[in-house]
Amino acid sequence: MKHFSTFLIVFFTITFIHSQGWPQINFPGEGMYGSICPFGEDLVYLMVDNGMFYTSYDGGLNWVETNTGVQKNFYDMVFFDEDLGFAVGNNGTIIKTMDAGQNWDIVSSGTTENLFSIAMISLNDIWIVGHHGVVLHSTNGGNNWILDNSISSEQLNSVEFKGSHGYIAGNNGTLLYTTDYGTTWNPIALSTTDDLFSLNITANNTQVLAGQVDEDYLQYRGDLVFKTEDNSNWTNYYVPYYLDMGVSKLYFLNDNVGFYLDAAAAFCNCSFMKIYKTYDSGETWSLSYSASTYNSNSPFFGGFSDLAFVNDSLGYAYVSSKFF
C-alpha cells in the first residue's frame, strides 16, 4: 500500500558522503538529481543537474567542474572504463563521453520520454529504461539505439543485469525478467501494486525496493523489499524509515552485505540522513551513519539519492535536498 506523504522543501544543497566512517565531503556543485561512478581509491565521477559533471582525482577532496553543454537533469550514469561513459535524463537525452568526461556528445535516442536508468552488460550490449514503458537497446557501443515500447506501458525505473540475467522494475508492481540478455522479457507477478525501483542483483539473490515513485518530480520512497534466490519464490521484508519519506536507495555489495539511505527535511529547517547496513541479506539492519541539522543552508532530503561502492570498504553516498 502506498502510504507516504510529501514534505515541501524550499532549500537547496547537496550532501556527498564517503564510506570510510562516512566523513562528509565538501562538494562545490549543487543539484536535485545526480549519479556517482567511483573508480579505484581516488577517481570519482559525479553528474548533477543541468549537465554539470565533476571529477575528483583524490577521493572527493577536490573537484574539477565540466559543463557538458546539455542543460538537462540526468538521473543515471554508467562508465565502461575510465574514459567511456553515458548519462541519461530528461526528454530522451543520452550523452556520451570518450575522454573521461572532458567532452560530451548528444546521442539520438529516438524518444522524448524521460530516461531513468542505464545498464551496460558489455560495450555492445547496453540497456536504458524510462517513462511510458520506454526500453532502449544498443549493440554498437551506444552510437545507435533501438526503441521498444511494447514491453510495458508503465514508467520503468530501474534496469540491472548480471550476465545473461536481467530485470526491469517499474510502477504499479511491474517487474520483468530475462535469461537471454534481453532477447525476451517475461513478467513476474509480485504480491504488490506498489511502484518498484532500486534493483540489486548479486551472485545468488535479487532484491528490489517497493513503495511510491513520484512521476512529476522523480522522488523515490519505499520501505518494502522483495527478495528471491531462485526467481520463483519471492519473500518480502520491511525496512524502518524515519518521519514520512521512506527509503530512496537500496544497494547490495554481495549476497549478504547491503545498505539503504533514508533522509527527509521539513519546514522547521530541520533535516536528517541515516544510512543502515545489513550483514545478513536484509534480515537485520544496524545504523551505519546518522546526521541531522537545523541549519536551513544544509538540509538533507532523500527523495533522490545514489550509493556506489568501489569495493567492500570504499563507497560513496549522494543525497540532494531540493524538492518543489
Side-chain angles (χ1 to χ4, degrees):
M1 178 179 180
K2 301 176 184 178
H3 55 275
F4 303 96
S5 61
T6 297
F7 288 81
L8 180 65
I9 308 301
V10 295
F11 313 114
F12 186 75
T13 60
I14 271 186
T15 299
F16 190 59
I17 296 172
H18 184 284
S19 76
Q20 293 180 337
W22 299 107
Q24 187 168 328
I25 290 174
N26 293 321
F27 176 66
E30 59 183 16
M32 180 177 176
Y33 305 105
S35 183
I36 317 164
C37 288
F39 284 88
E41 295 291 325
D42 300 313
L43 181 62
V44 187
Y45 297 138
L46 175 65
M47 182 75 76
V48 296
D49 288 359
N50 296 315
M52 299 305 298
F53 179 77
Y54 294 86
T55 306
S56 177
Y57 299 99
D58 53 15
L61 298 177
N62 298 282
W63 296 88
V64 177
E65 179 183 276
T66 302
N67 189 337
T68 67
V70 184
Q71 293 188 337
K72 300 290 185 179
N73 292 333
F74 289 94
Y75 308 121
D76 199 11
M77 178 173 61
V78 66
F79 272 76
F80 177 71
D81 53 30
E82 293 182 4
D83 295 315
L84 177 62
F86 298 86
V88 298
N90 298 48
N91 306 122
T93 304
I94 304 172
I95 57 175
K96 176 181 180 179
T97 181
M98 299 180 67
D99 56 10
Q102 296 182 54
N103 297 280
W104 293 83
D105 297 312
I106 296 176
V107 180
S108 176
S109 67
T111 181
T112 57
E113 300 289 354
N114 293 342
L115 305 176
F116 302 130
S117 181
I118 180 170
M120 180 178 284
I121 304 172
S122 66
L123 180 60
N124 294 317
D125 203 353
I126 314 170
W127 293 83
I128 296 171
V129 298
H131 203 216
H132 289 143
V134 163
V135 177
L136 296 169
H137 183 215
S138 175
T139 59
N140 62 355
N143 294 316
N144 302 100
W145 294 88
I146 302 166
L147 172 64
D148 186 354
N149 55 11
S150 66
I151 297 174
S152 173
S153 61
E154 298 288 347
Q155 174 170 308
L156 303 177
N157 302 306
S158 304
V159 57
E160 292 290 339
F161 275 86
K162 188 173 184 64
S164 61
H165 292 227
Y167 292 84
I168 295 174
N171 286 3
N172 293 310
T174 301
L175 188 61
L176 304 165
Y177 178 61
T178 182
T179 59
D180 53 15
Y181 295 96
T183 300
T184 56
W185 291 92
N186 297 301
I188 295 174
L190 296 184
S191 57
T192 184
T193 56
D194 282 2
D195 302 332
L196 303 179
F197 59 97
S198 207
L199 274 165
N200 290 262
I201 308 174
T202 56
N204 298 294
N205 291 330
T206 298
Q207 305 206 38
V208 60
L209 192 58
Q212 177 182 347
V213 178
D214 189 305
E215 294 193 24
D216 293 326
Y217 302 112
L218 198 63
Q219 300 296 304
Y220 299 102
R221 322 193 245 297
D223 65 345
L224 177 62
V225 180
F226 285 86
K227 173 183 173 182
T228 186
E229 296 180 1
D230 58 11
N231 205 44
S232 298
N233 301 292
W234 291 80
T235 59
N236 60 70
Y237 62 89
Y238 284 93
V239 292
Y241 62 91
Y242 193 67
L243 294 178
D244 223 9
M245 282 304 302
V247 175
S248 56
K249 185 68 176 183
L250 180 72
Y251 185 98
F252 274 86
L253 284 164
N254 53 50
D255 287 347
N256 297 312
V257 180
F259 297 84
Y260 72 79
L261 191 149
D262 171 21
F267 282 117
C268 61
N269 290 356
C270 55
S271 58
F272 83 97
M273 184 172 71
K274 297 179 185 293
I275 299 174
Y276 286 84
K277 183 176 184 179
T278 181
Y279 292 97
D280 54 15
S281 194
E283 295 294 323
T284 59
W285 295 86
S286 59
L287 188 64
S288 178
Y289 174 82
S290 179
S292 60
T293 178
Y294 288 86
N295 180 356
S296 63
N297 292 322
S298 58
F300 304 111
F301 182 78
F304 192 99
S305 59
D306 199 12
L307 287 166
F309 281 74
V310 178
N311 52 44
D312 289 351
S313 61
L314 176 61
Y316 296 83
Y318 161 93
V319 58
S320 63
S321 62
K322 182 182 178 185
F323 188 61
F324 298 95

